[in-house]
Amino acid sequence: MDTFKMTHKNKLYKIAFGLAVFTIVYNIAEGLISTYLGFEDESLALFGFGSDSFIEVISGLGIAHMILRIQNNPNSKRDDFERTALRITGIAFYILVFGLVITSFYNIWQAHQPQTTFWGVIISIISILVMWFLVLWKRKVGNQLNSAPILADANCTMVCVYMSIILLISSGIYELFGIPYMDSIGTLGLSYFAFKEGRECFEKAKSDKNCCCD
């Protein structure tokens, strides 16, 4: 019975690790496509969304490492690799927020509008579906393992869902009604969540708390 439980537990950890790897690969693809289309269409919100995806890759590497660590030693504490990844991620988020906020206000001042936000609508819908699927699966695995770190990662993945919804709303409203500054307003909304993520990264790097994304 103990052997069966151990085998099942190891299988769940492999699934959790696979989800972490998938999240990394997806964010790389999403980042490349979103930044390219955001630049081509002059959509700051889509470009910022893609930039955030690249930062999530760094965070994802830390998550994948964390899963391997707790698989080998469930009671172990956050190690130097994870703390370094968190600090780098936090710095990257703050830099992104600074750039997006400054550019948003500049675009508002210059009355700049994107050529189209069509791809922002498409990418955000895809992202909502994929990230919600990841949230549900991570929560399922986390509950079966009774693992607070994996459940915390699922909660943090929900932030990606919220950011996708902001992109969808701002891109959709602009595409349908052509309301000025919606792209910039959406960018400021993304900046708010990016700032919160950056702050959380530094909080986690200083402690052994799993996540503040409750």
Side-chain angles (χ1 to χ4, degrees), residues 136-147 150-151:
L136 294 179
W137 206 347
K138 287 178 180 181
R139 284 178 177 172
K140 180 179 179 180
V141 173
N143 284 320
Q144 290 179 328
L145 287 168
N146 194 26
S147 172
I150 293 177
L151 288 172

Side-chain angles (χ1 to χ4, degrees), residues 93-150:
F93 273 128
Y94 281 164
I95 293 174
L96 175 64
V97 169
F98 178 80
L100 292 181
V101 170
I102 294 298
T103 310
S104 293
F105 284 115
Y106 177 79
N107 284 351
I108 292 174
W109 178 53
Q110 291 290 318
H112 174 271
Q113 297 183 42
Q115 296 179 8
T116 177
T117 55
F118 171 79
W119 287 113
V121 173
I122 301 300
I123 291 174
S124 60
I125 291 174
I126 294 173
S127 181
I128 289 170
L129 295 175
V130 172
M131 289 301 159
W132 183 243
F133 166 79
L134 285 172
V135 168
L136 294 179
W137 206 347
K138 287 178 180 181
R139 284 178 177 172
K140 180 179 179 180
V141 173
N143 284 320
Q144 290 179 328
L145 287 168
N146 194 26
S147 172
I150 293 177

Side-chain angles (χ1 to χ4, degrees), residues 1-200:
M1 186 65 178
D2 290 340
T3 303
F4 174 79
K5 285 183 177 180
M6 186 60 66
T7 302
H8 182 61
K9 196 171 185 179
N10 287 332
K11 181 181 179 180
L12 290 173
Y13 274 118
K14 287 181 180 179
I15 293 174
F17 183 75
L19 291 173
V21 172
F22 176 82
T23 303
I24 292 170
V25 174
Y26 177 81
N27 275 315
I28 291 174
E30 183 179 75
L32 289 171
I33 295 172
S34 297
T35 51
Y36 172 76
L37 292 174
F39 180 80
E40 287 292 308
D41 296 339
E42 298 182 15
S43 171
L44 181 60
L46 183 55
F47 184 85
F49 183 79
S51 300
D52 177 87
S53 297
F54 286 129
I55 300 175
E56 297 290 352
V57 171
I58 305 173
S59 176
L61 293 173
I63 296 298
H65 176 83
M66 177 199 72
I67 292 171
L68 295 177
R69 171 177 60 79
I70 61 177
Q71 180 179 9
N72 295 324
N73 186 359
N75 297 319
S76 60
K77 301 295 184 181
R78 184 172 288 122
D79 60 20
D80 290 339
F81 180 89
E82 293 169 54
R83 295 184 194 279
T84 300
L86 285 167
R87 293 189 187 98
I88 293 173
T89 304
I91 292 171
F93 273 128
Y94 281 164
I95 293 174
L96 175 64
V97 169
F98 178 80
L100 292 181
V101 170
I102 294 298
T103 310
S104 293
F105 284 115
Y106 177 79
N107 284 351
I108 292 174
W109 178 53
Q110 291 290 318
H112 174 271
Q113 297 183 42
Q115 296 179 8
T116 177
T117 55
F118 171 79
W119 287 113
V121 173
I122 301 300
I123 291 174
S124 60
I125 291 174
I126 294 173
S127 181
I128 289 170
L129 295 175
V130 172
M131 289 301 159
W132 183 243
F133 166 79
L134 285 172
V135 168
L136 294 179
W137 206 347
K138 287 178 180 181
R139 284 178 177 172
K140 180 179 179 180
V141 173
N143 284 320
Q144 290 179 328
L145 287 168
N146 194 26
S147 172
I150 293 177
L151 288 172
D153 177 43
N155 287 339
C156 291
T157 304
M158 274 300 299
V159 177
C160 298
V161 177
Y162 299 148
M163 296 181 78
S164 300
I165 291 173
I166 289 177
L167 178 64
L168 175 60
I169 292 173
S170 63
S171 298
I173 290 176
Y174 182 82
E175 192 66 20
L176 289 173
F177 306 108
I179 298 176
Y181 312 129
M182 280 308 304
D183 188 67
S184 295
I185 292 172
T187 303
L188 293 175
L190 295 176
S191 300
Y192 167 76
F193 280 103
F195 177 81
K196 289 187 67 176
E197 285 193 276
R199 183 179 61 187
E200 179 190 304

